[in-house]
Amino acid sequence: MLRGRIVAVNGVAAEDLKASCTGEANLTPPGRVAAMEQRLKAALQALDVVQPALDRFYGSLSDEQKARFNRLPRQG
């Protein structure tokens, strides 16, 4: 159940991030900075959505599961 919640909020966060990327060609330096600021704000909002669900999921794991989860390779 908690895993499903994480999947759902990740989907919402991904859609929000995708929507923040307008695809407009901001050719001026101020336009590029404004677009970057918009994307950063969207990323922070996505973290605000995902973090509580991830905290609940992680808190529900046993110590052994937490150890295995912590050993998963990081992506990025």
Side-chain angles (χ1 to χ4, degrees):
M1 182 179 297
L2 288 174
R3 183 180 174 275
R5 177 75 179 140
I6 289 176
V7 170
V9 297
N10 274 338
V12 169
E15 287 300 317
D16 289 347
L17 281 171
K18 185 177 178 181
S20 75
C21 297
T22 62
E24 294 178 23
N26 294 305
L27 301 177
T28 66
R32 289 192 300 269
V33 169
M36 187 182 344
E37 181 180 14
Q38 181 181 354
R39 287 190 297 273
L40 288 171
K41 285 180 182 178
L44 288 172
Q45 288 174 339
L47 287 172
D48 288 342
V49 169
V50 172
Q51 187 67 47
L54 182 57
D55 288 342
R56 282 191 297 277
F57 173 75
Y58 189 79
S60 73
L61 299 176
S62 69
D63 288 342
E64 179 183 333
Q65 290 170 321
K66 286 178 183 176
R68 287 178 32 208
F69 189 79
N70 293 338
R71 288 191 305 265
L72 290 174
R74 295 182 184 195
Q75 296 180 2

